[in-house]
Amino acid sequence: MLEKLVKQTAVYGISTIVVRFLSYLLTPYYTRIFGQETYGIVTDVYALIPLALTLLTMGMESSYFRFSAKADQAGGDVVAAKRRLFATTWGVTSLAALLFFAAVVFFRGSFSRWMGAAYVAHPEYVVWVGAIVLFDVWACIPFSRLREQGRSLTFVGFKALNVVLNVALAFAFGIAGLFASDFGVGWVFVANLIASVVTWGVILSTVDRTVPRIDRALLAAVFVYSLPLLVGGLAGTANEFIDRQLIKYLVPSGAMAQLGVYGAITKIAVVMMLFYQMYRLAAEPFFLSNFKKSDFVAMNAAALKYYVMVSMLIFLGIALFRDFFALIVGRDFREGIFILPVVLGANILAGVWLNLSFWYKREERTSLAIVVTGSGLAAMLLFGGWFIPLWGYYGAAWARLVSETVMVAVSWWLNRRFFPTPYPWGRIGEAVVVALAAFFAAEFFSARAGNIFAGYAFNIVLFAGYALYLVRREHIDVAALLRAAWKRK
């Protein structure tokens, strides 16, 4: 059964890498045509959008997976039960998004003043972003349905359409000179909105003539499951974006410029985020299916071990050669490249506590999500409020790392207390320690090497040595693993 997760991760992974690579073409492009402060607006907006999406989807994605599995288990007219579930979850999220957009349009002046001077001069930015959120939410549950049905290629194909269209429009607008107009960075949001509208239009072809219709009795049952996920998700998403807001409001001077640099450097961690995202896309519906407890425990323990090992390999691949990755962004943004290892570490920990969260979603104890993400948010506010005024975006990176560490610690304690899982912490810790030892050895050698090529040669040896260590330590049959990932049943 673990092979199924490997295969699904590979399908989502290879496709997502291609799609996200196209999306990240916008980072080197925007950081070369916009200054630090203007790109700070892009960073700011795209940090806030996930918060709106989390609020308006209300935890319904995980609820859809869980209640679909229940329908399979209950038997009877499974197709009708799943159709009713789909119509209800799609209906309530669509209604919420429509009400949100109406509020954004009506109170756009107030929203603009809250977001800062750059938006007061262009309140239409807020409306365009509100429209992006509207169509993205309308498409969210249909996308979840594709994942639940195992239609990963269709899922990725539609996501690819969105990204390709967005990138193509962005470059077209740049060639047309629109970014130099008075509307300026607003054209970034126009390109995104057009892509979102088209994506919503094409995904309607997959809904099998189902229309959003809320079954109140079913919605009440779903809300019991999803409401804690909503609260926990809001805290978790706030934890992911609050570092940007703290930079904006706590840095004494040049806040938007620092925000732009911070946003650009976090984008360089693209490979780590791609791995995290493809793992989440495959693992969430996989682990929320109706496995026996013994099977779930064994697979979850093994999955975490291999997730951490692959993550540490990616960490070394980026951190040891971060000067090359710095070329992704414009010259004005490369000054912040030194924070990249810290950002990568935080991203790894996000995947660890994601894995540690599957048990309470499976057991329908979703209120524990509030404990986990709430503790992370509290840590982010505490350490962000302390570090950021002192160190700027460097402090934001460290505050994020501390926050993710706290969430892992709380998740570990909850698992030990309520759902003991035999995670191989010894092996996991060993893989982390060996990777960090290789990283610090590279840092030590680089500081003393008189030749940059000698430094890179040493780093290549360290990276290859760590990869070989993982293969030998875990007795990994690489050829068999690749066959399992690509073999189609």
Side-chain angles (χ1 to χ4, degrees):
M1 284 183 289
L2 194 60
E3 289 185 357
K4 180 181 177 182
L5 176 60
V6 173
K7 187 180 77 171
Q8 286 293 310
T9 302
V11 172
Y12 281 116
I14 301 301
S15 306
T16 302
I17 285 172
V18 175
V19 172
R20 291 288 180 174
F21 174 76
L22 292 173
S23 177
Y24 280 98
L25 287 177
L26 294 176
T27 299
Y29 181 55
Y30 287 154
T31 55
R32 284 168 171 81
I33 64 173
F34 296 135
Q36 292 179 348
E37 292 188 4
T38 303
Y39 188 72
I41 296 175
V42 177
T43 299
D44 189 28
V45 165
Y46 284 99
L48 290 171
I49 285 178
L51 180 67
L53 294 178
T54 301
L55 173 64
L56 299 172
T57 55
M58 297 177 284
M60 290 294 167
E61 288 183 285
S62 293
S63 297
Y64 182 77
F65 297 137
R66 186 58 184 154
F67 278 78
S68 291
K70 282 188 171 185
D72 287 327
Q73 188 178 36
D77 193 345
V78 175
V79 173
K82 287 189 176 184
R83 183 181 292 270
R84 186 166 62 254
L85 173 65
F86 174 59
T88 297
T89 52
W90 191 23
V92 70
T93 54
S94 297
L95 178 61
L98 187 61
L99 294 175
F100 168 82
F101 180 66
V104 167
V105 173
F106 189 76
F107 297 107
R108 59 186 178 276
S110 299
F111 279 113
S112 299
R113 286 189 293 274
W114 170 69
M115 292 182 67
Y119 306 94
V120 172
H122 291 281
E124 65 273 21
Y125 290 175
V126 176
V127 177
W128 286 104
V129 173
I132 293 170
V133 171
L134 173 69
F135 284 96
D136 284 354
V137 173
W138 280 357
C140 181
I141 299 300
F143 270 119
S144 296
R145 184 169 179 262
L146 292 177
R147 290 168 61 193
E148 186 272 330
Q149 293 174 336
R151 298 168 65 183
S152 54
L153 294 179
T154 303
F155 174 93
V156 174
F158 288 161
K159 290 289 187 180
L161 172 65
N162 179 284
V163 171
V164 169
L165 187 55
N166 191 4
V167 172
L169 287 171
F171 279 96
F173 290 166
I175 293 171
L178 296 180
F179 291 128
S181 67
D182 290 338
F183 191 55
V185 73
W187 289 104
V188 171
F189 312 134
V190 173
N192 193 334
L193 176 59
I194 294 173
S196 294
V197 172
V198 171
T199 303
W200 172 74
V202 296
I203 204 170
L204 291 180
S205 65
T206 70
V207 303
D208 299 328
R209 298 182 180 179
T210 305
V211 296
R213 184 181 293 118
I214 299 173
D215 182 317
R216 294 185 179 180
L218 177 59
L219 181 62
V222 171
F223 257 132
V224 170
Y225 181 86
S226 69
L227 189 58
L229 291 177
L230 168 61
V231 177
L234 285 174
T237 307
N239 183 37
E240 293 178 2
F241 92 93
I242 200 69
D243 52 350
R244 276 79 162 175
Q245 298 304 301
L246 291 176
I247 290 173
K248 188 165 74 170
Y249 293 112
L250 295 182
V251 171
S253 62
M256 291 303 290
Q258 290 216 28
L259 182 58
V261 173
Y262 184 70
I265 298 302
T266 56
K267 286 286 188 180
I268 295 178
V270 52
V271 178
M272 186 66 73
M273 288 307 298
L274 286 176
F275 178 62
Y276 166 78
Q277 289 163 356
M278 73 187 195
Y279 178 77
R280 181 182 63 82
L281 288 171
E284 190 169 44
F286 177 82
F287 281 117
L288 295 185
S289 299
N290 285 306
F291 292 119
K292 293 187 300 183
K293 180 177 179 179
S294 58
D295 292 335
F296 172 85
V297 166
M299 289 185 296
N300 191 235
L304 178 60
K305 180 180 71 171
Y306 290 115
Y307 170 83
V308 172
M309 290 179 174
V310 175
S311 294
M312 295 309 299
L313 186 65
I314 295 171
F315 169 84
L316 285 180
I318 300 175
L320 297 183
F321 306 100
R322 58 185 180 273
D323 289 344
F324 285 117
F325 283 92
L327 299 177
I328 293 174
V329 299
R331 188 180 303 275
D332 292 343
F333 296 82
R334 295 171 196 167
E335 64 183 54
I337 194 63
F338 64 95
I339 70 169
L340 186 58
V342 183
V343 173
L344 292 170
N347 290 343
I348 292 172
L349 292 175
V352 172
W353 72 260
L354 171 72
N355 209 93
L356 293 170
S357 75
F358 290 132
W359 75 266
Y360 58 71
K361 291 180 181 179
R362 179 183 185 274
E363 297 297 304
E364 300 186 12
R365 302 187 64 174
T366 50
S367 60
L368 295 178
I370 302 173
V371 178
V372 175
T373 56
S375 63
L377 179 59
M380 185 70 218
L381 291 171
L382 175 63
F383 287 93
W386 178 13
F387 293 161
I388 292 173
L390 295 175
W391 303 330
Y393 59 76
Y394 183 54
W398 275 104
R400 164 58 60 79
L401 182 64
V402 172
S403 174
E404 299 290 352
T405 302
V406 168
M407 286 192 284
V408 168
V410 172
S411 298
W412 172 82
W413 182 83
L414 290 172
N415 179 266
R416 293 269 295 180
R417 175 70 176 80
F418 298 111
F419 198 87
T421 302
Y423 293 111
W425 293 114
R427 287 287 184 92
I428 292 172
E430 178 185 315
V432 172
V433 169
V434 172
L436 291 179
F439 171 72
F440 286 115
E443 293 292 289
F444 179 83
F445 184 83
S446 176
R448 287 158 179 78
N451 189 311
I452 187 172
F453 297 104
Y456 283 125
F458 185 67
N459 290 354
I460 291 172
V461 171
L462 286 174
F463 179 78
Y466 184 73
L468 181 61
Y469 152 78
L470 291 179
V471 171
R472 297 292 296 273
R473 186 70 174 88
E474 294 299 316
H475 307 289
I476 298 172
D477 186 338
V478 177
L481 187 63
L482 292 175
R483 286 195 299 270
W486 285 106
K487 182 179 179 182
R488 300 189 62 84
K489 295 182 180 180

